[in-house]
Amino acid sequence: MRLVLNSEKGAVNTTLDQLKPGQKAEILHIDGVDGIASRLREMGFVRGELVKFLRTAPFGGPVKCAIHGSRIAVRGGEAQRISVQLLG
Amino acid sequence: MTSISNAGIGSTRVALVGNPNTGKSTLFNALAGLSVRTGNYPGVTIEKKIGRCFIPGACVIDLVDLPGTYSLAPRSPDELVAVEVLTDKANREPPVELIICVVNALMLQRNLFLVSQLLELGKPVIVVLNMMDSARSRGVMVDVEKLSESLGVPVVPTSATKREGLDLLRTEIAELLNDSSKKTQRVHILPEAFYDTRDQFRQAIQNKLNDSPESLAANQDSKTKIHGELQDYLNEDYFVERMLLDRGGASELRLVETLGNFGKELLGQWRDTLANRVGDATDMECNARYDWAKQKLSGIVLGGADSGDSLTDRIDSVLTHRIWGMISFILIMFFVFQSIYTVASWPMDQIDAATGYLSELVINQMGPGMLRSLITDGVIAGVGGVLIFLPQIALLFLFLAVLEDCGYIARASFLVDRLMSLFGLSGKSFLPMMSSFACAIPGVMATRVIENRRDRFATIMVAPLMSCSARLPVYLLLISAFIPDDGLLGGWLSLPALVLMSMYAVGVLVAIPVSLILKWTILRGETAPFVLELPEYKVPAARVVLTRVWEASLAFVLRAGTLIFAATILIWFAGYWPGDHTRELEIERSLESAQLTEQESETATQELRAIKTDLLERSLLGKMGHTIEPVVAPLGWDWKIGVGAIASFPAREVIIATLGTIYSLDGDEDEEGLIGAIRSSTHPDGTPVYTVPVALSIMVFFALCAQCVSTLIVIQKETNSWSWPVLSFSYMTILAYLAAMLTFQIGTRFF
């Protein structure tokens, strides 16, 4: 499942949890077919959407990001399943 | 469709759905007013909330408020109910004639995901474009007419908090209900190949059902019923679609339950076929729906650039900061709990005074006797003892409702999620656990915000371990009687305070393994995704907040009050009967007639105490106490403490009143008198009953036991089953007993 095709030159492919506050990225895909993956997709983490990393909670807690004009917090483990392409 | 004529009698069902944070509750309250009835759907734990609204020119409608959801892909029996209600498959629920979907004008694209699923159900839909005021102030313009045209359903712009657009909504409801020709067509949003696969898949199941009903997994008796249920599902396109789309979902479960392994194989086979035709199913579905939403919205929403530095983001940069966020969090929690204790103390004193006054009134009006004892010792003392917590509960709910409605609770969950994962739980369990330090009843009720069933039940099971305000009087009594007021760490910390803190810590520390064990055993399953939306901050709506406080207070008084009332009467009876109370009454009468000299009155009082003790020993309660004495002996307790523990089954603080009665005091005497009595209490051989280990053992017992009928009743209501309160009571009692024994046995080695 974890095959990320990097067609564009110089584009950095990573996962959502690896971003730094303020960075923007485009969503590529989500790993897995379980309930968590479906929930993330329903919440708008679908291919082509823009996501902005906002911050991490204390003690290595969830990460907060902006997507579809709303602020969503997901746990690190879940953020790791969201492959993104770093923008700018 | 229902016509006006029969709608007046049975009233028409209209369902209200929407994403969380769309202002759905505000709209529901605005439409339904105070006519709201709540209950449970059979067999599940979601709340059934129905409000009656009068629609001018049409009829009376029953508005069903379904839980906020992002999607109609049921993954648990609880989520399934919402879909069953919408598709008229729910047990004994009247059919839904119209669906109102509330969408947030600021997040239209994501909200249209749910709308796209609703349009597939083939029922009339009205889209309520809520939060138009905040959209306007953010410069977001939505072309309502174009949107309505593009979606093919009526779109009504509203601002529920300002009560704008409600009349228009009512008119639209009336129009749709009166005109059956407006029935919406089932919209096909996914690729046509998907719908073809669905039909072929359904045919395959249907063939199996028709050809060989003996292949059903169930036994002969229930076959017909299960067969019928599956047939019902097959007739609804949406359920067949969900079977194919949701791996491990609730509709898949229904199929596998009925057809067993055959169903599983069949499903696997058709999912493969589907994947070959359209690619991964969930990916395909979500992408198709978002593409659809994007296309429907093109040219309709204008303005509203990146909300990078809105007011919410500026507030969040402090309140969710890893350092400032934690500090403000602690300050806010401290403020809430401090206020609950300080602000509530005045009304609590008033309730206390009122019950005292009432029982005085009864004593003055009635001669001594069984009825008077029942009214004062049983009814007034019992019900008053419960009502006294009403101010704290109302205040707690006031704070919680304000914090939740303004958007802070979501931030608190975000901040403490990591901490709560120690319990195997998520940040969403934080609020119920914190509330339980005031009282487990609102705590258990607050678990409704946790949508994952396993997390919710684990939280319900451990929330009563948090030391509530009813344990505090027990701790305070025993600490002030037996723990010397020594200073520790150069006077910075007093020994009594340390003991008190340890009692609070015991509950929290025990809750960790209990919750983990539950999550590894009976509540094992797929980890709940922690996907939490942090809504815009807003000024809390007074209506929503006050409704919440009113509902919670009423529920507390009705649910707990009636039961405590009954239980107190039982305890009173067990302590009163059997026994000859004539001599007791004679003395009470002569004491009250006030014809005695001081000397005589002293002797009479002493005799009265002796008689009361004797009567108690002979009573049912006393006999029970002696029977259980061997059981409580390893805890260092005598029969009186044992009786106290049994008598306090309805509520922990009852032990103080019971011990008061037992130590020949009448309940009205102050705690100093009781402290003196328990300090000087001796075993028949003259050794003191209470030592430091005994006091600690009692405190540990009360920290961990489930001596609170109201909590158990609320657990029953919230879980919709008796097995959970039974489990709760058994594990907590066993744990409390063992821990108290351990405390006493280890304690006696040191003191």
Side-chain angles (χ1 to χ4, degrees):
Chain A
M1 281 303 289
R2 219 163 161 53
L3 269 174
V4 181
L5 296 175
N6 191 353
S7 51
E8 279 172 62
K9 251 191 182 171
V12 183
N13 287 357
T14 177
T15 51
L16 183 63
D17 60 308
Q18 298 297 317
L19 299 184
K20 294 191 175 53
Q23 283 186 328
K24 289 180 186 173
E26 188 185 315
I27 291 173
L28 296 172
H29 75 98
I30 297 172
D31 260 8
V33 289
D34 57 354
I36 296 178
S38 314
R39 184 65 87 220
L40 288 171
R41 289 190 181 103
E42 289 162 7
M43 300 277 295
F45 290 87
V46 290
R47 189 187 56 225
E49 285 304 325
L50 286 186
V51 61
K52 183 179 172 191
F53 190 96
L54 295 172
R55 61 178 70 245
T56 339
F59 317 116
V63 302
K64 185 179 142 196
C65 56
I67 186 166
H68 284 286
S70 63
R71 296 156 201 82
I72 309 274
V74 292
R75 281 188 176 159
E78 283 140 28
Q80 207 177 359
R81 295 169 57 173
I82 304 174
S83 296
V84 296
Q85 185 179 67
L86 193 59
L87 297 177
Chain B
M1 291 303 292
T2 309
S3 63
I4 312 170
S5 54
N6 70 28
I9 315 158
S11 78
T12 313
R13 262 299 161 96
V14 173
L16 189 64
V17 290
N19 281 16
N21 308 310
T22 48
K24 186 166 69 73
S25 314
T26 317
L27 185 74
F28 178 77
N29 286 336
L31 286 173
L34 286 173
S35 70
V36 180
R37 290 165 288 145
T38 55
N40 262 315
Y41 290 101
V44 291
T45 59
I46 64 165
E47 191 178 49
K48 181 164 146 186
K49 216 169 172 188
I50 299 176
R52 183 153 285 201
C53 327
F54 297 92
I55 303 296
C59 52
V60 182
I61 61 164
D62 272 339
L63 193 61
V64 191
D65 189 17
L66 292 171
T69 180
Y70 293 102
S71 136
L72 283 187
R75 271 190 214 93
S76 68
D78 288 3
E79 292 178 334
L80 187 62
V81 170
V83 185
E84 284 182 337
V85 168
L86 290 173
T87 52
D88 309 334
K89 296 280 178 277
N91 224 349
R92 288 193 295 276
E93 293 295 325
V96 167
E97 311 277 355
L98 169 68
I99 301 170
I100 299 175
C101 183
V102 189
V103 300
N104 182 340
L106 283 166
M107 295 164 203
L108 261 179
Q109 195 190 346
R110 199 194 61 202
N111 281 238
L112 284 192
F113 188 94
L114 181 63
V115 174
S116 78
Q117 290 173 325
L118 292 171
L119 292 178
E120 289 176 335
L121 299 177
K123 293 208 171 190
V125 173
I126 296 179
V127 170
V128 170
L129 195 56
N130 198 23
M131 301 189 157
M132 280 303 274
D133 48 339
S134 34
R136 238 174 276 137
S137 68
R138 294 267 293 274
V140 178
M141 307 295 271
V142 183
D143 190 332
V144 177
E145 249 169 63
K146 255 188 171 173
L147 181 61
S148 170
E149 217 170 275
S150 155
L151 293 176
V153 297
V155 176
V156 182
T158 61
S159 301
T161 43
K162 293 186 177 157
R163 306 173 75 80
E164 284 172 21
L166 297 183
D167 284 336
L168 190 59
L169 176 58
R170 289 195 191 97
T171 316
E172 208 58 65
I173 293 173
E175 208 163 296
L176 268 193
L177 287 178
N178 288 337
D179 181 6
S180 49
S181 68
K182 281 204 178 174
K183 189 174 163 111
T184 327
Q185 289 297 309
R186 278 174 201 260
V187 177
H188 279 191
I189 284 152
L190 307 181
E192 278 310 315
F194 169 72
Y195 297 101
D196 295 342
T197 316
R198 173 199 70 193
D199 290 335
Q200 290 161 353
F201 168 61
R202 172 168 37 207
Q203 198 52 54
I205 309 174
Q206 195 65 66
N207 290 345
K208 188 67 188 174
L209 278 181
N210 296 344
D211 295 351
S212 49
E214 67 276 6
S215 64
L216 295 184
N219 62 44
Q220 199 60 50
D221 296 337
S222 50
K223 255 181 200 172
T224 337
K225 184 173 167 271
I226 290 184
H227 186 289
E229 277 173 8
L230 183 62
Q231 192 62 60
D232 232 21
Y233 267 47
L234 289 183
N235 294 340
E236 176 59 58
D237 288 352
Y238 194 73
F239 278 111
V240 185
E241 289 164 19
R242 289 331 311 178
M243 282 177 199
L244 283 169
L245 290 172
D246 303 335
R247 278 167 208 269
S251 12
E252 169 182 334
L253 201 70
R254 178 60 57 95
L255 177 73
V256 174
E257 265 172 10
T258 316
L259 292 180
N261 271 339
F262 171 76
K264 220 180 264 178
E265 275 166 34
L266 195 68
L267 190 59
Q269 210 179 304
W270 281 98
R271 276 183 182 161
D272 287 345
T273 313
L274 183 65
N276 285 336
R277 292 178 185 173
V278 296
D280 176 67
T282 24
D283 239 3
M284 176 274 295
E285 186 197 0
C286 295
N287 289 331
R289 291 191 193 283
Y290 272 98
D291 287 346
W292 176 85
K294 211 177 274 177
Q295 182 216 325
K296 292 285 167 192
L297 287 175
S298 71
I300 283 171
V301 184
L302 296 170
D306 185 19
S307 55
D309 59 338
S310 66
L311 182 62
T312 293
D313 288 306
R314 284 199 297 272
I315 300 175
D316 261 355
S317 64
V318 177
L319 289 186
T320 61
H321 189 270
R322 37 175 86 207
I323 296 158
W324 301 122
M326 278 321 266
I327 292 175
S328 17
F329 168 76
I330 290 165
L331 287 178
I332 290 170
M333 287 304 135
F334 183 77
F335 170 77
V336 166
F337 280 87
Q338 191 63 25
S339 313
I340 286 172
Y341 281 108
T342 53
V343 178
S345 69
W346 187 82
M348 286 171 88
D349 287 345
Q350 303 311 306
I351 293 175
D352 202 24
T355 48
Y357 172 76
L358 206 62
S359 91
E360 199 113 313
L361 203 70
V362 174
I363 288 173
N364 288 337
Q365 295 296 316
M366 295 172 71
M370 187 167 160
L371 188 63
R372 189 178 90 176
S373 173
L374 170 68
I375 294 175
T376 55
D377 303 341
V379 178
I380 298 179
V383 175
V386 184
L387 285 184
I388 201 159
F389 292 105
L390 183 61
Q392 284 194 338
I393 288 184
L395 263 177
L396 183 71
F397 266 92
L398 178 74
F399 282 118
L400 294 183
V402 167
L403 288 177
E404 198 179 352
D405 208 43
C406 78
Y408 185 71
I409 290 296
R411 272 76 189 180
S413 305
F414 170 73
L415 286 171
V416 299
D417 178 65
R418 186 76 191 87
L419 219 59
M420 296 306 296
S421 65
L422 283 178
F423 294 81
L425 300 171
S426 82
K428 291 176 187 172
S429 299
F430 162 76
L431 171 76
M433 303 264 274
M434 195 75 195
S435 314
S436 298
F437 279 107
C439 176
I441 296 163
V444 169
M445 280 153 59
T447 60
R448 284 178 200 162
V449 299
I450 309 169
E451 49 316 278
N452 181 269
R453 181 182 163 276
R454 290 182 307 275
D455 274 14
R456 182 173 176 217
F457 280 26
T459 311
I460 289 178
M461 286 293 105
V462 295
L465 284 171
M466 306 300 120
S467 276
C468 62
S469 52
R471 273 124 154 158
L472 196 61
V474 183
Y475 297 157
L476 291 179
L477 174 75
L478 291 164
I479 287 175
S480 50
F482 298 102
I483 308 298
D485 196 4
D486 292 343
L488 296 174
L489 301 171
W492 280 98
L493 193 64
S494 72
L495 189 58
L498 183 70
V499 174
L500 188 62
M501 273 163 58
S502 319
M503 287 305 135
Y504 278 85
V506 163
V508 179
L509 291 177
V510 166
I512 297 175
V514 169
S515 163
L516 287 176
I517 288 171
L518 284 170
K519 295 288 303 251
W520 290 333
T521 54
I522 49 174
L523 294 175
R524 190 173 44 199
E526 191 183 73
T527 318
F530 182 75
V531 184
L532 180 73
E533 185 177 348
L534 306 171
E536 298 270 311
Y537 286 108
K538 66 179 171 75
V539 178
R543 211 188 168 86
V544 171
V545 169
L546 293 178
T547 312
R548 193 89 52 87
V549 173
W550 168 250
E551 281 173 2
S553 309
L554 195 69
F556 172 74
V557 172
L558 289 183
R559 285 178 186 179
T562 44
L563 198 103
I564 284 252
F565 175 74
T568 329
I569 289 178
L570 274 181
I571 294 290
W572 166 83
F573 178 75
Y576 193 87
W577 182 88
D580 185 3
H581 291 260
T582 14
R583 181 69 192 137
E584 183 195 6
L585 297 182
E586 254 169 49
I587 302 175
E588 276 182 353
R589 258 186 223 113
S590 64
L591 272 172
E592 277 167 31
S593 64
Q595 302 283 313
L596 306 172
T597 64
E598 207 165 298
Q599 185 87 48
E600 282 170 329
S601 133
E602 186 108 332
T603 9
T605 313
Q606 266 172 17
E607 196 191 342
L608 185 62
R609 283 184 183 175
I611 289 175
K612 280 195 169 172
T613 312
D614 188 51
L615 281 171
L616 186 72
E617 285 222 24
R618 284 160 199 271
S619 72
L620 197 59
L621 201 63
K623 286 188 187 121
M624 273 160 66
H626 282 291
T627 318
I628 60 150
E629 199 165 13
V631 182
V632 297
L635 278 58
W637 302 2
D638 70 348
W639 76 266
K640 291 171 183 172
I641 308 174
V643 160
I646 293 183
S648 61
F649 170 68
R652 294 176 183 90
E653 64 277 20
V654 172
I655 192 176
I656 293 181
T658 315
L659 287 180
T661 321
I662 292 176
Y663 290 108
S664 316
L665 295 164
D666 43 31
D668 280 338
E669 245 172 277
D670 63 12
E671 286 190 0
E672 199 51 45
L674 182 55
I675 289 176
I678 60 178
R679 269 186 183 148
S680 55
S681 163
T682 55
H683 284 296
D685 64 359
T687 54
V689 172
Y690 289 85
T691 57
V692 172
V694 171
L696 288 176
S697 139
I698 297 175
M699 281 193 274
V700 166
F701 182 86
F702 275 88
L704 299 179
C705 70
Q707 308 278 80
C708 180
V709 170
S710 332
T711 303
L712 295 173
I713 291 288
V714 169
I715 294 178
Q716 192 274 331
K717 292 271 180 199
E718 293 294 323
T719 58
N720 213 354
S721 124
W722 278 106
S723 27
W724 291 100
V726 166
L727 175 71
S728 193
F729 180 74
S730 344
Y731 100 78
M732 285 178 75
T733 307
I734 293 170
L735 212 62
Y737 182 84
L738 294 177
M741 185 161 73
L742 210 65
T743 308
F744 176 70
Q745 299 296 346
I746 294 174
T748 40
R749 307 276 185 283
F750 286 96
F751 293 93

